[in-house]
Amino acid sequence: MIAKVLSFCLFLVGVVDTMLYYFYCFVLINTFFISSVSATDCLTNKQQLQHVKEWAMVAKVIDGDTVHLKDGRKIRFLGINTPEIGRRGEASQPFAKKAYITLKKLLETNKKIGLSYDKVHRDHYKRVLAYISFPDGRSAQQILLAKGLAYSIVVPPNDVRIACYRDIEQQARESSQGIWKMPERQWISAELLSAKAKGQRFISGTISAYSESRKSIYLKLTNKLSIRISKKD
């Protein structure tokens, strides 16, 4: 038996033979990888500017963590995820519009942003993955996290700033900023998860069993809850 307490962010994807199956949510799977990240302080504004590899002009804000540049590139902010804005008639997630408006206001007077990179520069959608700095050295990611309009994510191997982002997220959580006011954003025990739960949930629990198939890894938390992780990840 595996007796390690871990925390997860999960998306419900189906019920099979009374067993709830979840895909692990990559955005918080950093519980597995955080031990490989050294605990470093957040960069100062001056250090942020020193890490900028190039400057670019924003043409359009898509949502709280995505912008399009005037040169045609699509930029996905590294290290954070903001609530999704509804598309094609779907409702927006709580605080999605506030994250969008906040980013737009930050770019009102100056649409110039600095781009810094990690190990992998593009995602599977061909978007550029970057840490975003404003001309005064402030970090877009850190501002959104502090306001509770984003949560920290890590998609290995892009993990260089996750320790900083987790610290800011924890402060926002403790002071109930933004999304952290919502009941569904509170950590709950795997034992208490309802079979009717939908969408994203923050779950903590003990892995009691481990198994594999050709394409997936399964982590059992309770008799009715298992996490499925694709081996591609």
Side-chain angles (χ1 to χ4, degrees):
M1 290 294 211
I2 302 170
K4 185 174 179 62
V5 178
L6 298 173
S7 299
F8 306 92
C9 168
L10 307 172
F11 284 110
L12 178 62
V13 295
V15 181
V16 181
D17 295 332
T18 73
M19 174 70 79
L20 293 174
Y21 279 100
Y22 285 74
F23 276 118
Y24 81 99
C25 173
F26 72 86
V27 298
L28 283 179
I29 201 68
N30 50 15
T31 307
F32 289 109
F33 299 101
I34 196 64
S35 62
S36 67
V37 181
S38 59
T40 56
D41 294 332
C42 294
L43 298 177
T44 64
N45 289 0
K46 183 178 180 179
Q47 290 171 330
Q48 295 273 5
L49 294 176
Q50 290 172 343
H51 281 75
V52 170
K53 297 301 181 184
E54 61 174 309
W55 292 92
M57 297 298 293
V58 173
K60 184 178 181 180
V61 175
I62 304 303
D63 55 28
D65 56 33
T66 308
V67 298
H68 290 178
L69 302 181
K70 288 188 176 180
D71 63 16
R73 287 181 294 171
K74 298 177 181 179
I75 308 296
R76 176 60 166 83
F77 293 12
L78 268 173
I80 67 168
N81 199 45
T82 60
E84 299 295 330
I85 291 179
R87 312 289 183 191
R88 302 180 183 85
E90 294 185 359
S92 295
Q93 294 178 349
F95 293 95
K97 290 184 179 178
K98 189 168 184 179
Y100 165 78
I101 291 169
T102 297
L103 183 57
K104 282 198 75 172
K105 287 184 176 179
L106 288 167
L107 291 164
E108 256 178 358
T109 57
N110 192 343
K111 298 187 183 301
K112 185 178 180 181
I113 58 172
L115 307 177
S116 305
Y117 305 110
D118 211 314
K119 300 175 184 69
V120 175
H121 290 196
R122 288 183 182 270
D123 64 10
H124 59 285
Y125 297 113
K126 307 303 180 184
R127 297 176 299 185
V128 175
L129 303 172
Y131 300 110
I132 307 302
S133 299
F134 297 114
D136 61 4
R138 290 181 301 159
S139 160
Q141 280 93 331
Q142 290 177 212
I143 291 171
L144 291 164
L145 285 166
K147 291 178 178 292
L149 300 177
Y151 50 90
S152 62
I153 67 174
V154 61
V155 183
N158 290 346
D159 59 9
V160 70
R161 299 191 185 182
I162 190 59
C164 166
Y165 291 177
R166 282 173 64 94
D167 286 344
I168 296 173
E169 179 191 275
Q170 183 61 29
Q171 293 171 27
R173 182 191 291 275
E174 290 174 354
S175 57
S176 298
Q177 297 293 317
I179 60 175
W180 305 115
K181 300 174 184 176
M182 300 164 57
E184 58 266 38
R185 294 288 179 174
Q186 308 308 310
W187 291 99
I188 63 171
S189 168
E191 297 286 349
L192 301 178
L193 186 67
S194 168
K196 296 180 180 180
K198 294 182 179 180
Q200 187 185 62
R201 291 294 183 270
F202 291 76
I203 308 300
S204 62
T206 301
I207 297 174
S208 59
Y210 167 96
S211 61
E212 294 186 34
S213 66
R214 186 168 60 87
K215 294 183 178 181
S216 301
I217 293 171
Y218 295 88
L219 305 177
K220 181 180 178 181
L221 273 72
T222 72
N223 288 335
K224 294 186 177 182
L225 175 62
S226 288
I227 301 166
R228 177 161 68 89
I229 303 174
S230 170
K231 287 184 176 179
K232 292 181 181 179
D233 300 319

